[in-house]
Amino acid sequence: MAILQHILFMSLSMFCMTSVVSSHSRHYTTPSVPRLTDLLSHVSVDTGFSKFFGGPNIKLINNGSMATLALDKTSGSGLVSRRKYYYGFFSAAIKLPAGLTSGVVVAFYLSNADMYPHSHDEIDIELLGHDKRIDWVLQTNVYANGVSTGREEKFYFWFDPTQQHHYYSILWNSHHIVLPVREFPNNGKFSTAYPSKPMSLYVTIWDGSQWATHGGKYPVNYKYAPFVASFADMEMAGCITNPTQPGSSCSNASLSSMDPVGGPDFVKLSNQQITAMDWARRKLMFYSYCKDTSRFKVLPPECT
């Protein structure tokens, strides 16, 4: 099986239960597909990341191979990769906080806001807490040159993400971006909204009371704090670059099938993957920017 055939369900198969009941009492059987994450090496948290904020709420465990990040009344917390990347594959096994988590945001994302505060790029996986005990929401977003180009989509989970670690992954190269149950191709329609500058990888937990749960209707209830997220099996494979010279170190990228930057097996999704992605989007997606006519008087070109 070609390596690319693992990519689509690097996010669906990361949810390793193959038959589960969602928070909406629907029974789903997900496709069983080998994980790309099984083929790449792990990076220890202590060597691959620095503290971003909330140092007292960050704990390294298992000799630095894992970390827990906490949100309490004093602060959230976060880590940032020590290196910047221009394309690559990024993954983490994440276990979300249990209990009532309204307003809580756990994020795994790429960004260059530190270098380009007014025109930064970002590729987001945001896990949004809820006013019910297991009803977390998966939100993805891709934008470039500022927030106004955001392309948000939201999905329900079909399992309880608080019971064990599940893999969440991002593939970003010159051909496309692949996020959980979503592909963002780099073609003419997306030319102004495709991330094109080196980015760092971030893992964070923070208070999103103003927007995260039902548009801010349910803020964080610190009666249930601390909220603790666990991160393990971190993976960062790609083009390490000098942020002042975008793409300068990518010219010699390997063309092996295992290279997420230049490997030919990372160019496009297979028909099998497209079919599986369509299944997830039909059953689980409840918001897409392409249907948000209140936000866009004229829908973005890719929506039509």
Side-chain angles (χ1 to χ4, degrees):
M1 180 183 296
I3 298 301
L4 184 62
Q5 292 179 340
H6 302 289
I7 292 177
L8 172 61
F9 280 93
M10 68 186 181
S11 298
L12 292 184
S13 69
M14 67 189 173
F15 310 148
C16 48
M17 302 177 189
T18 58
S19 182
V20 296
V21 178
S22 80
S23 55
H24 298 274
S25 299
R26 296 175 182 174
H27 189 81
Y28 295 114
T29 300
T30 60
S32 178
V33 179
R35 297 190 301 244
L36 179 62
T37 51
D38 293 339
L39 305 176
L40 300 174
S41 299
H42 297 160
V43 177
S44 65
V45 176
D46 60 345
T47 59
F49 290 84
S50 300
K51 292 180 180 179
F52 179 40
F53 70 99
N57 284 349
I58 299 172
K59 297 186 185 306
L60 300 183
I61 54 180
N62 287 0
N63 296 319
S65 64
M66 300 174 61
T68 60
L69 304 182
L71 166 67
D72 58 24
K73 287 184 178 180
T74 63
S75 177
S77 52
L79 300 166
V80 57
S81 62
R82 297 181 185 273
R83 294 173 169 176
K84 295 183 181 293
Y85 294 83
Y86 190 72
Y87 300 147
F89 178 81
F90 311 89
S91 184
I94 305 173
K95 182 180 178 183
L96 298 179
L100 297 176
T101 54
S102 58
V104 176
V105 178
V106 176
F108 180 78
Y109 66 103
L110 295 165
S111 177
N112 50 33
D114 58 329
M115 297 292 296
Y116 306 95
H118 303 295
S119 60
H120 76 287
D121 305 325
E122 194 161 309
I123 302 173
D124 291 336
I125 297 174
E126 294 177 316
L127 309 166
L128 311 181
H130 215 269
D131 55 309
K132 300 177 182 178
R133 288 195 174 273
I134 64 172
D135 206 4
W136 282 78
V137 166
L138 168 66
Q139 174 171 288
T140 63
N141 195 3
V142 176
Y143 54 83
N145 300 315
V147 177
S148 62
T149 58
R151 264 71 174 168
E152 300 93 340
E153 291 186 342
K154 295 183 180 181
F155 298 80
Y156 290 119
F157 284 103
W158 56 98
F159 60 94
D160 182 351
T162 71
Q163 293 299 304
Q164 61 189 58
H165 289 81
H166 300 274
Y167 288 100
Y168 301 81
S169 306
I170 298 170
L171 171 66
W172 170 46
N173 60 31
S174 63
H175 305 288
H176 56 177
I177 294 165
V178 182
L179 291 163
V181 291
R182 181 179 189 181
E183 182 190 24
F184 195 87
N186 185 16
N187 58 33
K189 293 181 180 179
F190 296 92
S191 59
T192 62
Y194 199 83
S196 59
K197 301 183 287 290
M199 293 191 279
S200 300
L201 178 65
Y202 294 83
V203 290
T204 60
I205 184 170
W206 46 282
D207 186 329
S209 291
Q210 294 184 340
W211 66 274
T213 305
H214 292 299
K217 182 178 180 180
Y218 299 100
V220 175
N221 186 340
Y222 285 101
K223 172 184 176 181
Y224 300 100
F227 305 97
V228 180
S230 175
F231 297 83
D233 293 354
M234 309 295 290
E235 296 178 356
M236 295 183 287
C239 177
I240 299 169
T241 188
N242 183 336
T244 63
Q245 298 176 328
S248 60
S249 63
C250 298
S251 59
N252 294 323
S254 168
L255 295 181
S256 74
S257 61
M258 284 300 298
D259 183 356
V261 176
D265 287 330
F266 288 80
V267 172
K268 64 181 181 179
L269 298 177
S270 67
N271 290 335
Q272 179 185 8
Q273 291 172 309
I274 293 171
T275 299
M277 183 177 286
D278 180 65
W279 171 88
R281 295 175 67 81
R282 285 186 291 103
K283 290 184 177 292
L284 302 164
M285 185 171 68
F286 68 93
Y287 172 83
S288 172
Y289 70 99
C290 278
K291 299 183 183 297
D292 193 343
T293 55
S294 63
R295 177 183 174 189
F296 297 103
K297 292 183 179 180
V298 178
L299 291 175
E302 68 270 14
C303 297
T304 57

